[in-house]
Amino acid sequence: MQVVLCQLDTHWEDKPASHAAASRLLASLAIEPGALIVLPEMWATGFSMHVDRTAEPAAGPTHAFMSALARERAAYVLGGVVRLGNTGRGRNEAVLFGPDGREAARYCKMHPFSFAGETKHFESGEGITVFEWQGFKVAPLVCYDLRFPELFRHAVSRGAEMFVVIANWPQVREEHWMALLRARAIENQAFVFGVNRSGADPHASYGGKSLAIGPRGETIAEGGRHAEAIVCNISRDEMLAYRQTFPALADMRRDLLGGNS
């Protein structure tokens, strides 16, 4: 099963330019029907706190782009968008479109990044989302969520076998990005895909380094510094066999998980 990580150099607050950049990045790729194509957090605008410039309705231009891409490639497309919440603040979301172009799942970032002021402009999500793709149960998460392992455990308690973390993760904390992605894979015996942006915005530089990690913590693929598409092939059977061979998750204390599941 094929996963395509789109490490995009986003154009700051310029949706048409970012849409065009994503099209160029994917144009020459041989994408299998039913593949999962993943774009970064807030990929069409960058990590902007200007909700009035970035938010769009469910029929907005970035949603429409991903829907059309899914139909054209007969694939699943997951990427970051901003919608306006009921509080007047934004919602930093990951949305999935199926090969028919219809929305199939949506997750709102549970932990807005307070260090950068995101909590002032964006509201928190209400809970974990788990969707099915090619037999896998998949949980999408967004950037700063990676620092909160309890989210991953809650998703595993709901059957998650694969995590997709979309991000605008700055290069200054790149070692954390790589270490935490690997840790989340090892402790949950799951595939973990971290899809980061490259380039720079007015506030930070982004070093790329998108990663595909297997359930043993092994690196399947790693992005470089610049915009690129990374193609991975994975096997659910191999993941299940490893979980049976080393059944650490059977010892998980579900009574300690609490809420937010």
Side-chain angles (χ1 to χ4, degrees), residues 176-259:
H176 298 189
W177 165 253
M178 299 175 75
L180 291 170
L181 288 169
R182 197 175 309 280
R184 299 295 89 86
I186 292 169
E187 66 199 10
N188 294 296
Q189 299 184 305
F191 286 100
V192 174
F193 296 92
V195 184
N196 196 24
R197 67 158 294 181
S198 63
D201 65 24
H203 308 290
S205 296
Y206 303 89
K209 290 294 179 182
S210 296
L211 281 175
I213 308 292
R216 295 173 176 83
E218 72 277 18
T219 299
I220 299 169
E222 180 177 332
R225 293 292 184 197
H226 305 292
E228 63 177 309
I230 304 113
V231 180
C232 317
N233 288 285
I234 61 173
S235 167
R236 183 172 181 265
D237 289 341
E238 290 181 9
M239 180 272 300
L240 293 175
Y242 174 60
R243 283 186 172 187
Q244 291 172 356
T245 301
F246 182 49
L249 291 176
D251 295 325
M252 182 171 59
R253 288 283 301 274
R254 294 176 183 267
D255 59 308
L256 300 179
L257 289 177

Side-chain angles (χ1 to χ4, degrees), residues 31-60:
I31 297 175
E32 298 173 357
L36 178 62
I37 301 169
V38 188
L39 292 151
E41 174 190 24
M42 296 174 66
W43 69 271
T45 62
F47 189 59
S48 169
M49 299 299 102
H50 299 134
V51 175
D52 58 326
R53 303 176 194 172
T54 60
E56 62 182 61

Side-chain angles (χ1 to χ4, degrees), residues 100-112:
D100 59 0
R102 296 180 180 178
E103 182 179 321
R106 187 178 289 265
Y107 165 77
C108 182
K109 187 176 186 179
M110 291 281 284
H111 294 90

Side-chain angles (χ1 to χ4, degrees), residues 31-189:
I31 297 175
E32 298 173 357
L36 178 62
I37 301 169
V38 188
L39 292 151
E41 174 190 24
M42 296 174 66
W43 69 271
T45 62
F47 189 59
S48 169
M49 299 299 102
H50 299 134
V51 175
D52 58 326
R53 303 176 194 172
T54 60
E56 62 182 61
T62 303
H63 291 78
F65 177 90
M66 291 193 289
S67 174
L69 176 62
R71 288 195 308 272
E72 291 165 7
R73 293 304 189 106
Y76 293 81
V77 176
L78 178 70
V81 296
V82 175
R83 286 199 305 165
L84 194 63
N86 294 328
T87 64
R89 290 180 293 167
R91 291 175 64 83
N92 185 346
E93 297 181 329
V95 62
L96 175 76
F97 290 90
D100 59 0
R102 296 180 180 178
E103 182 179 321
R106 187 178 289 265
Y107 165 77
C108 182
K109 187 176 186 179
M110 291 281 284
H111 294 90
F113 190 32
S114 58
F115 182 78
E118 189 179 5
T119 46
K120 298 177 183 177
H121 305 281
F122 289 82
E123 59 190 42
S124 300
E126 296 78 23
I128 291 295
T129 294
V130 178
F131 63 83
E132 291 196 11
W133 169 74
Q134 302 289 22
F136 278 97
K137 290 188 176 180
V138 184
L141 295 161
V142 181
C143 204
Y144 192 45
D145 286 336
L146 180 60
R147 292 186 180 272
F148 300 89
E150 62 272 17
L151 292 184
F152 293 74
R153 270 302 202 238
H154 280 296
V156 166
S157 75
R158 290 177 50 182
E161 302 159 331
M162 175 175 155
F163 296 92
V164 182
V165 183
I166 61 173
N168 276 222
W169 197 285
Q171 189 171 352
V172 68
R173 290 182 291 279
E174 180 179 278
E175 292 299 324
H176 298 189
W177 165 253
M178 299 175 75
L180 291 170
L181 288 169
R182 197 175 309 280
R184 299 295 89 86
I186 292 169
E187 66 199 10
N188 294 296
Q189 299 184 305

